[in-house]
Amino acid sequence: MFLSAIESFLQLRNYPSFQPKVIFFDMDGVLYDSMKSHASAWVSAMTDIKIPFTAYEAYMNEGRTGQSTIDGAYQQHRGRNATEEEKQQIYKLKTHYFELCGPTEKMPYAHEVLKKAQQQGLGIFIVTGSGQLTLIDNLESSFPGVFHKERLVTAFDVIQGKPHPEPYLKALAKAGVQPWEAMVIENAPLGVESAVAAGIFTVAVNTGPLESKILYDSGANIVLDGGMRELYEKWEQLSSIQILQP
Ligand code: CA
């Protein structure tokens, strides 16, 4: 299953080889079980300013920067982008509601996958649209010794958030690798689009309420219905495949 997905990827992209040296992990919905809280915080913040917004929409917008999510809702319901002042006000509300949800739990099996990747000597990066300082600060206590500050790409590092390729292009540059030397673990349609647009082999773990078909339609090379648990169980199989073309 994995080999044929990788072979089709190489053929489509016309890359010389497939030899991942670094793994780019998305954060929310992959490493943290935080999407329920994000979705409910968005719904509450938008309700406060009388813009209809559902949890499903929050999941479909997952990966965008907060500013872009707010502009999207304003365009749809008010026919214009939000002003800077409005964006700040709404993002403040959203952050407030998110913090009320309490501490964010790690996604089951995430730490185990990270440890396996670390033991294999793979570089581990986080590529997130998040600007939630609490989550970023919590990384070290959640996953001690796994992450380095210079191996993070966050909302603060990019002008264009996901689904634009900039976050993953920036990650390739920070890691100093070619697209065929990296692999992405994502859970959201827009995150998958961003990684695919950056030309990187993308594994989608379905950890939320959306149908897996949406993740395939976004361009994921592999979709794991069983989420992080399935990724953990199949990690050796997935990470051992290297293709060197003559
Ligand atoms: Ca995500």
Side-chain angles (χ1 to χ4, degrees), residues 26-30 35 62-63 127-128 162 185-188 191 207:
D26 170 51
M27 189 170 75
D28 290 295
V30 170
M35 275 313 298
E62 182 185 346
V127 184
T128 176
K162 300 171 187 178
I185 313 296
E186 263 287 351
N187 73 305
T207 61

Side-chain angles (χ1 to χ4, degrees), residues 73-155:
Y74 261 71
Q75 281 293 351
Q76 199 183 338
H77 296 284
R78 308 225 164 130
R80 62 169 176 89
N81 280 348
T83 64
E84 280 310 310
E85 209 172 53
E86 286 164 338
K87 281 179 198 163
Q88 279 182 19
Q89 178 214 351
I90 299 161
Y91 200 66
K92 205 172 150 189
L93 279 172
K94 189 260 169 174
T95 304
H96 165 72
Y97 285 118
F98 181 75
E99 283 168 3
L100 283 185
C101 294
T104 304
E105 299 291 325
K106 286 190 277 188
M107 191 63 84
Y109 295 94
H111 203 167
E112 288 73 11
V113 170
L114 291 170
K115 281 193 239 171
K116 282 188 182 185
Q118 202 172 27
Q119 279 162 10
Q120 290 165 305
L122 293 163
I124 297 173
F125 283 69
I126 286 189
V127 184
T128 176
S130 176
Q132 298 281 356
L133 291 168
T134 47
L135 271 188
I136 295 165
D137 288 345
N138 283 342
L139 277 170
E140 184 54 29
S141 53
S142 305
F143 307 101
V146 175
F147 296 104
H148 301 268
K149 273 202 172 126
E150 66 274 19
R151 293 182 173 183
L152 301 179
V153 176
T154 72

